[in-house]
């Protein structure tokens, strides 16, 4: 079965897959149609959904990079190379896992790709199981990153429900300060600190101080400062 670059016939299929946030897609980018077809069949045999593109430009125009899954990239292609696509995604904040598969690799190229976060750098011909192992690792890495991102998003949304004073209390508790120390520093009573801390626990949906601190640690550093935007 061949699954290749988007066309009017394939566009509805891509839209359906994009809407299914739980189904990972393996995006194959290679200018050789025979390679794309062979890789698509291999990916299908492992239970993943492949979509093929002939160039970096096509995959960028395909509106598919935000979905779950990973990329298999050739290095040398007409137009932008696989390494250029990798750097573009990194600069744009898209950390989708990338597996390079090329017949023209060298050590400097491999080092560059791995430093930029590639899952693996494989040379053609490659054993089917070696490639599938890399794909499995890439899909698992993407799933873990997405799960972490959801936790951060949820905790940021909860943070937004806190008052300024509650955010101060949250910061102090996360830094290990005792109620009486917080009360002294903020010139309020211990009873008031306990009340605010109780509200913080409830709004952050933390069942213990340990959970509250773990939620705090997921927040981006800029969001931990009282007075920062959103804090």
């Amino acid at each position: 079965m061949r699954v290749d670059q988007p066309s009017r016939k394939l566009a509805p299929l891509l839209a359906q897959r994009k809407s299914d946030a739980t189904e990972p897609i393996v995006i194959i980018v290679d200018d050789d149609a025979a390679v794309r077809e062979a890789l698509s069949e291999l990916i299908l045999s492992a239970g993943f959904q492949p979509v093929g593109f002939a160039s970096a430009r096509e995959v960028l125009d395909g509106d598919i990079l935000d979905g779950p899954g990973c990329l298999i990239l050739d290095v040398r292609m007409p137009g932008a190379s696989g390494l250029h696509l990798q750097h573009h995604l990194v600069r744009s904040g898209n950390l989708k896992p990338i597996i390079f598969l090329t017949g023209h690799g060298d050590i400097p190229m491999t080092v560059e790709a791995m430093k930029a976060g590639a899952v693996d750098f494989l040379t053609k011909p490659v054993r089917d199981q070696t490639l599938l192992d890399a794909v499995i690792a890439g899909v698992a890495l993407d799933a873990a990153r997405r799960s972490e991102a959801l936790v951060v998003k949820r905790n940021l949304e909860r943070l937004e429900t806190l008052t300024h004073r509650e955010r101060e209390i949250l910061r102090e508790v996360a830094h290990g300060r005792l109620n009486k120390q917080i009360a002294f520093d903020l010139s309020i009573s211990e009873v008031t600190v306990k009340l605010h801390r109780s509200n913080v626990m409830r709004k952050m949906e933390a069942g213990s101080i340990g959970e509250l601190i773990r939620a705090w640690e997921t927040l981006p550093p800029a969001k931990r400062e009282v007075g920062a935007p959103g804090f």
Side-chain angles (χ1 to χ4, degrees), residues 162-179 181-201 209 212-213 216 226 231:
L162 303 186
T163 66
H164 182 81
R165 180 64 84 188
E166 288 166 352
R167 293 170 183 180
E168 288 181 318
I169 299 296
L170 170 58
R171 180 190 62 187
E172 296 303 312
V173 170
H175 289 168
R177 304 283 286 171
L178 301 175
N179 287 345
Q181 294 173 316
I182 298 172
F184 178 81
D185 290 343
L186 299 181
S187 300
I188 57 179
S189 70
E190 269 193 74
V191 172
T192 302
V193 171
K194 289 178 182 178
L195 177 62
H196 284 310
R197 193 177 76 173
S198 176
N199 288 337
V200 170
M201 296 281 288
I209 293 298
L212 186 64
I213 293 173
W216 166 266
V226 178
F231 204 145

Side-chain angles (χ1 to χ4, degrees), residues 55-143:
S55 69
R57 183 71 267 163
E58 286 182 0
V59 73
L60 289 173
D61 292 340
D63 193 25
I64 196 174
L65 287 168
D66 290 334
C70 66
L71 281 157
I72 298 177
L73 289 184
D74 190 10
V75 174
R76 296 182 181 176
M77 296 178 289
S81 69
L83 288 171
H84 286 144
L85 177 56
Q86 180 189 34
H87 292 319
H88 172 83
L89 293 179
V90 170
R91 286 194 303 270
S92 65
N94 188 325
L95 300 180
K96 182 178 286 295
I98 294 173
I99 300 149
F100 282 99
L101 179 61
T102 180
H104 307 283
D106 54 36
I107 292 176
M109 194 180 294
T110 303
V111 171
E112 180 182 353
M114 299 303 288
K115 279 187 175 180
V119 173
D120 212 336
F121 195 101
L122 306 173
T123 54
K124 302 171 184 175
V126 63
R127 291 179 59 250
D128 288 354
Q129 192 57 52
T130 299
L131 178 58
L132 290 177
D133 287 345
V135 168
I136 290 168
V139 169
L141 176 60
D142 183 66

